Amino acid sequence: MAPLADLYHLTMAYGQWRAGRHRSPASAELFFRRGPFRGTFALGAGLAEGLRGLRAFRFSAADIAYLRSVLPSTTEDAFFDYLATLDASEVTVSAVPEGSVVFAGVPFLQVKGPLLVVQLLETMLLCLVNYASLVATNASRFRLLAGPDVKLMEIGLRRAQGPDGALSASRYSYIGGFDCTSNILAGKLYGIPVRGTIAHSFIMSFTSLEEVQPRELPPLAGGEPVDFPALAQSWLPRVCELLQTPPEKTNRGELAAFVSYAITFPHDFQGLLDTYCVRRSGLPNFCAVALALHQLSYRAVGVRLDSGDLAQQSKEIRQALRACGAHFQVPWFETIPIAVSNDISEQSLEQFSQEGNEIDMIGVGTHLVTCPLQPSLGCVYKLVEVNGSPCLKLTQDEEKMTIPGTKTIYRLYDAAGHPFMDLMALEEEPSPSVGQELAIRVLGRLGETSKVVPTTVECLHRTYFRDGQVCEPLPSLLEVRNHAQASLSLLSPAHRRLHDPQPYPVAMTEKLYHLLIELREARQ
Amino acid sequence: MAPLADLYHLTMAYGQWRAGRHRSPASAELFFRRGPFRGTFALGAGLAEGLRGLRAFRFSAADIAYLRSVLPSTTEDAFFDYLATLDASEVTVSAVPEGSVVFAGVPFLQVKGPLLVVQLLETMLLCLVNYASLVATNASRFRLLAGPDVKLMEIGLRRAQGPDGALSASRYSYIGGFDCTSNILAGKLYGIPVRGTIAHSFIMSFTSLEEVQPRELPPLAGGEPVDFPALAQSWLPRVCELLQTPPEKTNRGELAAFVSYAITFPHDFQGLLDTYCVRRSGLPNFCAVALALHQLSYRAVGVRLDSGDLAQQSKEIRQALRACGAHFQVPWFETIPIAVSNDISEQSLEQFSQEGNEIDMIGVGTHLVTCPLQPSLGCVYKLVEVNGSPCLKLTQDEEKMTIPGTKTIYRLYDAAGHPFMDLMALEEEPSPSVGQELAIRVLGRLGETSKVVPTTVECLHRTYFRDGQVCEPLPSLLEVRNHAQASLSLLSPAHRRLHDPQPYPVAMTEKLYHLLIELREARQ
């Protein structure tokens, strides 16, 4: 595959090459300008894939042939010969560990190397980091809203931007705190736990109990197999009587589907309740089958709802399960997990909390993978230094201004162990000292000096790529997931909250500030 | 790659297989429930990729090994042996031609085949059709807003859901009416025209004219090369005087970047004007370099803006270009194309129209590829018939109800040549006759019979896949693009308009309606 790049990178590359500036040492930074979803924080993700992209960065003969066909015919042959020799072996990349909490305006990936290559890497790195960080952050918000105990399942394969987007969604939702995915390929490739039982189509494909084949199920402890459809059917009137619903309103195809599924997976029977009517059909059919299973010493593993008022229904279902459990003396019945899906958003989770609910597991698809609250993180990749000279972009939009110079990034912690500020310093400056007062300038009010005294100082970046190789061991996906949760848990509640969070201050040293002012004056 | 599927498809497949129902003949339909972006129409896209997926549909030994590890340990070996034999050779797929206008509730892809395979194809087809249709539709809306003459360029590679999402965005934006993309790989793979010149980073990498190498440029007609930096510099005071801006406020690095780029691409010089100040630096520097090029008989190809009030600036720039053209007697100067980018949305295009503008080309990234107005089309794939029996899903949500039976889809046209209704009929019904009154039921008011008289009747679907092979020639991407524009142009303005369009009626035959009512009564 050709390097991921926009055409202007190649035309610029030719310009740099022709001017003999292609090997000038350069630094670039990757960051986003505003916290996503109106929160303060994001999770920085996509690093491992970015590093894989760096290792593979190379133009094939076919790529070069294609570029010849699209660049102006005056482009010199020697330039294409040069492109064919390029790789990322002279590039150094430092970054925050994947899954770390990151803030607007603070570079979380830095690239140093020959100008031409540093520029050519822009789109690839943005493409691999932008969505990864966005969806990991989105997932972490669902996790914060759901609390630690509810299981969260990613079910977005059919709603993502194609197969690859869906795989990214599965991978980075897991990092952000989801427990499992429905996507088999994500399970196979990344080892993410996969889950899934039945869909409406399975239930709709049955019309009567006569269709159930095979019909026998042996008790768990062994012994004579029993006619399971008959057993389930014998429970139905008793359940209907208890739940006060007419047996003739239960759908026979649905019962057949449940029975068939239970015979097939007696240890893993989950009932999807809403193909017809939950209260009058799905629920009594489920209870009848689950009680029949119980008679053979199996336990049903759950129910699922995919439409209607999920919180309200979950309470009604819990009540019915409790009633069955008590009446038929099946204690585990009342704890049968209730799973829900159906266009679940952050708002849905807030409503569930407000209404009260009995939900144990939530499947999130569209609102997780497409991030409708903000479908792009808007990361940018900016040159900050070329040939030892810091670069500055001054535009009409103040927000689009860049901060010049190659930097070291520190995170400052307070006595309670919460990070309270990220600080950008020039690379040559000494590290801030613990317990010592520090004069800094906070972004958004650069005109005044502020003083802070950090209890702990963390140097945020590590060098991950050097001499064409990944030079720092990369954690497993599960380790990244754990790191993300740990990183989030350090945040103070005021910074972590999803609505109207307290802004997280980002600052620069006095020295960096003076460089900025000096350059700004020189350029205006 | 393993087939794209959610785990529940496999557990259901096992259920069907164990029940001996896996080979029951089944039909499924793919459709969306609501018109995207509050419009009436969508463009149906993703068919060619879906067909490719069908041809490749197969479980590898590694896939089977993985499935063994995630399905319950009680799953029989013979089932995995069966999975290993599966392919799509018994599946028949019919669909609307790719790029056709399609409406909510009307199936635009139909799958027939053995139940197990038909169910297993659900997620793959949805994954390949959903985003494709969404982004093609989104692109078509930008095209309708921009009008036929403005060039539209897709620049979303860095904002998509990874490399594959970006490729889909390029491909389907082109189908929807975009002219070109910045994405080199999309150009290479799909033959879409690629475009691109320079970015801010190129400009920021220069600080003075001394850095420009090489410095000489021969006139177009041949002859002695001239010192081009000196020539451009000689024009600068003259331009500044005309534009009434102080020469000392022009940025020297920017001038150097323009000069360097012009020497490199004298036939393709485009100035990116907003790295520093458009009016006081970008514009005079551009004019000086473009006039110097003109002196050597080359023509600059354009300017680009990436920040600020784009419509307003485009007018100011056009005025300045006109003034330069008149003053220096360079007639082509006033028609230099003005390109803009910077978070362009539908709303931006509406504002451009309202304010008036001089924009010739628009680059759209985030708002094109992430579709923030509605980031998912929400296509669904529903079983409508198994073993010759029509299926019905009756849920709490009326909207989630399905319409049973295998259908033929007709589009009815009025005397003006506009489609006025899509009509679903049972497969066995005869085609509606031209010029004859037809009794139908319109979705949303099924209680009453309506009468229509079509001037033309089109059978919408063609059979594209049969016996494991694509059985209808697939058009080129350009042909699909042309078909999409033709299909859109047939729509009446009331149905095509983007805001508050007239709802497009979707209907069913009396016979289909009676089947629906009959099944609904039987199931309730």
Side-chain angles (χ1 to χ4, degrees):
Chain A
M1 188 166 99
L4 283 171
D6 292 300
L7 187 63
Y8 71 4
H9 291 110
L10 273 297
T11 54
M12 288 191 285
Y14 183 56
Q16 305 287 19
W17 176 82
R18 207 149 174 271
R21 313 174 73 248
H22 51 294
R23 296 194 45 77
S24 302
S27 296
E29 291 176 345
L30 193 153
F31 59 97
F32 54 89
R33 293 188 175 117
R34 260 175 284 183
F37 314 116
R38 298 191 191 163
T40 49
F41 69 87
L43 295 181
L47 178 62
E49 288 197 297
L51 295 173
R52 194 172 308 124
L54 282 169
R55 272 209 307 252
F57 176 81
R58 206 158 285 114
F59 290 95
S60 69
D63 298 336
I64 302 273
Y66 174 69
L67 290 174
R68 270 183 203 273
S69 75
V70 292
L71 286 173
S73 57
T74 52
T75 311
E76 293 173 45
D77 279 348
F79 173 65
F80 296 109
D81 298 341
Y82 178 70
L83 281 186
T85 69
L86 278 189
D87 60 28
S89 58
E90 294 184 65
V91 166
T92 302
V93 172
S94 70
V96 300
E98 184 152 12
S100 300
V101 163
V102 289
F103 299 100
V106 183
F108 63 102
L109 191 138
Q110 294 170 310
V111 181
K112 290 183 202 175
L115 176 59
L116 187 147
V117 179
V118 168
Q119 287 192 340
L120 275 179
L121 293 174
E122 175 175 16
T123 306
M124 179 187 78
L125 291 172
L126 285 173
C127 184
L128 294 173
V129 163
N130 247 329
Y131 178 65
S133 301
L134 184 74
V135 76
T137 306
N138 198 24
S140 75
R141 292 171 65 92
F142 277 96
R143 170 51 70 203
L144 288 169
L145 282 169
D149 298 327
V150 172
K151 295 274 176 218
L152 292 175
M153 174 162 163
E154 179 272 315
I155 55 171
L157 172 52
R158 61 190 68 183
R159 302 282 182 248
Q161 290 176 9
D164 197 57
L167 284 174
S168 299
S170 302
R171 177 181 178 133
Y172 296 109
S173 301
Y174 184 65
I175 287 180
F178 270 55
D179 297 290
C180 53
T181 177
S182 65
N183 183 341
I184 294 175
L185 195 54
K188 183 185 166 202
L189 293 177
Y190 306 137
I192 301 170
V194 290
R195 295 282 177 278
T197 51
I198 49 175
H200 297 113
S201 59
F202 183 84
I203 292 174
M204 287 158 64
S205 74
F206 285 82
T207 53
S208 81
L209 275 177
E210 283 69 61
E211 293 162 2
V212 176
Q213 279 302 340
R215 306 177 69 85
E216 297 204 320
L217 183 65
L220 179 60
E224 208 56 27
V226 305
D227 178 337
F228 194 71
L231 183 62
Q233 213 168 358
S234 72
W235 276 100
L236 192 59
R238 300 172 64 188
V239 169
C240 285
E241 194 187 347
L242 178 71
L243 301 181
Q244 295 183 295
T245 177
E248 67 277 13
K249 290 291 183 186
T250 57
N251 186 288
R252 310 305 286 168
E254 184 180 54
L255 181 63
F258 286 177
V259 163
S260 180
Y261 197 81
I263 294 171
T264 311
F265 295 115
H267 298 279
D268 299 274
F269 172 59
Q270 189 196 54
L272 173 60
L273 304 188
D274 68 334
T275 307
Y276 305 104
C277 174
V278 174
R279 201 173 55 77
R280 299 201 296 185
S281 183
L283 188 56
N285 277 334
F286 169 80
C287 290
V289 173
L291 287 163
L293 278 176
H294 174 73
Q295 217 181 320
L296 307 180
S297 303
Y298 299 101
R299 284 191 183 189
V301 302
V303 297
R304 181 160 82 90
L305 287 170
D306 189 41
S307 57
D309 182 335
L310 301 170
Q312 181 56 30
Q313 289 182 94
S314 75
K315 289 188 280 187
E316 289 165 15
I317 290 167
R318 181 70 68 216
Q319 208 172 8
L321 295 174
R322 276 207 189 98
C324 277
H327 185 81
F328 300 113
Q329 294 176 311
V330 186
W332 61 265
F333 228 75
E334 67 168 320
T335 59
I336 288 176
I338 300 174
V340 301
S341 53
N342 187 23
D343 218 26
I344 302 283
S345 63
E346 285 192 10
Q347 214 184 343
S348 315
L349 266 61
E350 285 161 0
Q351 281 170 358
F352 294 168
S353 296
Q354 281 159 20
E355 287 183 44
N357 69 85
E358 290 287 342
I359 295 166
D360 301 290
M361 178 158 182
I362 302 174
V364 194
T366 309
H367 289 268
L368 177 61
V369 308
T370 70
C371 306
L373 290 178
Q374 183 183 327
S376 167
L377 181 54
C379 283
V380 294
Y381 177 94
K382 293 293 169 190
L383 269 189
V384 290
E385 196 168 305
V386 177
N387 260 333
S389 301
C391 305
L392 179 66
K393 181 182 161 198
L394 282 175
T395 74
Q396 318 283 80
D397 296 354
E398 177 81 357
E399 203 194 41
K400 282 198 166 188
M401 197 182 71
T402 57
I403 297 168
T406 307
K407 307 173 191 72
T408 305
I409 315 294
Y410 300 98
R411 183 159 290 173
L412 312 183
Y413 291 81
D414 62 21
H418 298 306
F420 69 87
M421 178 176 285
D422 280 11
L423 178 68
M424 295 184 262
L426 285 166
E427 212 175 20
E428 65 265 26
E429 291 188 79
S431 167
S433 298
V434 163
Q436 291 205 355
E437 192 177 77
L438 195 65
I440 50 91
R441 302 274 176 155
V442 177
L443 259 64
R445 43 193 171 93
L446 286 175
E448 54 188 275
T449 300
S450 305
K451 304 263 164 100
V452 293
V453 183
T455 302
T456 311
V457 173
E458 181 187 16
C459 182
L460 271 190
H461 285 225
R462 295 185 202 165
T463 300
Y464 280 95
F465 192 86
R466 180 176 278 150
D467 301 328
Q469 294 301 326
V470 176
C471 57
E472 169 89 16
L474 291 181
S476 70
L477 206 59
L478 183 59
E479 287 165 338
V480 173
R481 183 178 190 270
N482 292 338
H483 173 66
Q485 295 305 313
S487 187
L488 278 168
S489 70
L490 289 181
L491 278 188
S492 77
H495 290 135
R496 192 170 51 215
R497 71 170 173 253
L498 306 187
H499 294 294
D500 301 317
Q502 185 181 312
Y504 183 87
V506 171
M508 62 180 88
T509 58
E510 284 287 331
K511 191 161 177 183
L512 178 52
Y513 172 69
H514 288 299
L515 173 69
L516 172 68
I517 294 303
E518 194 184 297
L519 280 174
R520 201 190 285 183
E521 280 167 5
R523 298 282 163 95
Q524 263 171 343
Chain B
M1 187 165 99
L4 283 172
D6 293 300
L7 187 62
Y8 72 4
H9 291 111
L10 273 298
T11 54
M12 288 192 287
Y14 183 55
Q16 305 286 21
W17 176 84
R18 206 150 174 272
R21 313 175 74 249
H22 52 295
R23 295 193 47 76
S24 303
S27 296
E29 292 176 344
L30 194 154
F31 59 97
F32 54 90
R33 293 188 175 115
R34 258 175 286 182
F37 314 117
R38 299 190 191 164
T40 47
F41 69 87
L43 295 181
L47 178 62
E49 288 197 296
L51 296 172
R52 195 171 306 125
L54 281 169
R55 272 209 307 253
F57 176 81
R58 205 158 284 116
F59 290 95
S60 70
D63 297 336
I64 303 275
Y66 174 70
L67 289 174
R68 270 183 202 274
S69 75
V70 292
L71 285 173
S73 58
T74 52
T75 312
E76 293 172 47
D77 278 348
F79 174 64
F80 296 109
D81 297 341
Y82 178 69
L83 282 186
T85 68
L86 279 188
D87 60 27
S89 58
E90 296 183 66
V91 166
T92 302
V93 172
S94 70
V96 300
E98 184 152 13
S100 299
V101 164
V102 288
F103 299 99
V106 183
F108 62 101
L109 191 137
Q110 294 170 311
V111 181
K112 289 183 202 175
L115 177 59
L116 188 147
V117 178
V118 169
Q119 286 192 340
L120 275 179
L121 292 174
E122 174 175 17
T123 307
M124 181 187 79
L125 291 172
L126 285 173
C127 184
L128 295 173
V129 163
N130 247 328
Y131 179 65
S133 301
L134 184 75
V135 76
T137 307
N138 198 23
S140 75
R141 292 172 64 92
F142 277 95
R143 169 53 69 204
L144 287 169
L145 281 168
D149 299 326
V150 171
K151 294 274 176 217
L152 292 174
M153 174 164 163
E154 179 271 314
I155 55 171
L157 172 52
R158 60 191 67 183
R159 302 282 182 248
Q161 290 178 7
D164 198 56
L167 284 174
S168 299
S170 302
R171 178 180 178 132
Y172 297 108
S173 301
Y174 183 65
I175 286 179
F178 271 55
D179 297 290
C180 53
T181 177
S182 65
N183 183 341
I184 293 174
L185 196 53
K188 185 184 164 202
L189 294 178
Y190 307 135
I192 301 169
V194 291
R195 294 284 177 275
T197 50
I198 50 173
H200 297 112
S201 59
F202 183 84
I203 292 172
M204 287 157 67
S205 74
F206 286 82
T207 52
S208 82
L209 275 177
E210 283 71 60
E211 294 161 3
V212 175
Q213 278 302 336
R215 305 177 68 85
E216 297 203 321
L217 182 66
L220 179 60
E224 207 56 28
V226 304
D227 179 339
F228 194 71
L231 185 61
Q233 212 167 1
S234 74
W235 277 100
L236 191 58
R238 299 173 65 186
V239 169
C240 286
E241 196 188 341
L242 177 70
L243 301 181
Q244 295 184 294
T245 179
E248 66 277 12
K249 291 289 184 186
T250 56
N251 185 286
R252 310 305 286 167
E254 183 179 57
L255 180 62
F258 287 176
V259 163
S260 181
Y261 197 82
I263 293 170
T264 311
F265 295 114
H267 298 279
D268 298 274
F269 172 60
Q270 188 196 56
L272 173 59
L273 303 188
D274 67 334
T275 308
Y276 307 104
C277 174
V278 174
R279 199 174 55 79
R280 299 201 297 184
S281 184
L283 188 56
N285 278 334
F286 168 79
C287 290
V289 173
L291 287 164
L293 278 176
H294 174 74
Q295 217 180 321
L296 306 180
S297 303
Y298 300 101
R299 283 191 184 190
V301 299
V303 297
R304 181 161 81 91
L305 288 170
D306 188 41
S307 57
D309 182 334
L310 301 170
Q312 181 56 28
Q313 288 181 95
S314 76
K315 290 188 279 187
E316 289 165 15
I317 290 166
R318 181 69 68 215
Q319 207 170 11
L321 295 175
R322 275 204 190 102
C324 275
H327 185 81
F328 300 114
Q329 295 176 310
V330 185
W332 61 266
F333 228 74
E334 66 168 320
T335 58
I336 288 176
I338 300 174
V340 301
S341 52
N342 188 23
D343 219 23
I344 302 284
S345 63
E346 285 192 10
Q347 213 184 345
S348 315
L349 265 61
E350 284 162 358
Q351 280 170 359
F352 294 168
S353 295
Q354 281 158 23
E355 286 182 45
N357 69 85
E358 290 287 343
I359 295 167
D360 301 291
M361 178 162 184
I362 302 176
V364 193
T366 309
H367 289 268
L368 176 61
V369 308
T370 70
C371 307
L373 290 179
Q374 183 182 327
S376 169
L377 181 53
C379 283
V380 294
Y381 178 95
K382 295 292 169 192
L383 270 189
V384 289
E385 195 167 306
V386 176
N387 260 332
S389 301
C391 305
L392 179 66
K393 181 181 161 198
L394 282 175
T395 74
Q396 316 284 81
D397 297 354
E398 177 79 359
E399 204 194 41
K400 283 198 165 189
M401 199 182 71
T402 57
I403 297 167
T406 307
K407 308 173 190 72
T408 305
I409 315 294
Y410 300 98
R411 183 160 290 172
L412 311 183
Y413 291 81
D414 62 20
H418 300 304
F420 70 86
M421 178 175 285
D422 280 10
L423 177 68
M424 296 185 262
L426 285 167
E427 213 175 20
E428 65 264 27
E429 292 187 79
S431 168
S433 299
V434 162
Q436 292 205 355
E437 192 178 74
L438 196 65
I440 49 94
R441 302 273 177 158
V442 177
L443 260 64
R445 40 191 174 95
L446 286 176
E448 54 187 276
T449 301
S450 304
K451 305 262 164 100
V452 293
V453 183
T455 303
T456 311
V457 174
E458 181 188 17
C459 182
L460 270 189
H461 286 224
R462 295 186 201 164
T463 300
Y464 281 97
F465 192 87
R466 180 178 277 151
D467 301 328
Q469 294 301 327
V470 175
C471 56
E472 168 89 17
L474 290 180
S476 70
L477 206 58
L478 183 59
E479 286 165 338
V480 173
R481 183 178 190 269
N482 292 339
H483 172 67
Q485 294 305 312
S487 188
L488 278 168
S489 69
L490 289 181
L491 279 187
S492 77
H495 290 136
R496 192 171 52 215
R497 70 170 175 252
L498 305 187
H499 295 293
D500 301 316
Q502 185 182 315
Y504 183 88
V506 172
M508 60 181 89
T509 57
E510 284 288 330
K511 189 160 179 185
L512 179 52
Y513 172 70
H514 289 298
L515 174 69
L516 173 67
I517 293 304
E518 193 184 298
L519 280 173
R520 201 191 283 183
E521 280 166 7
R523 298 283 163 96
Q524 260 170 345

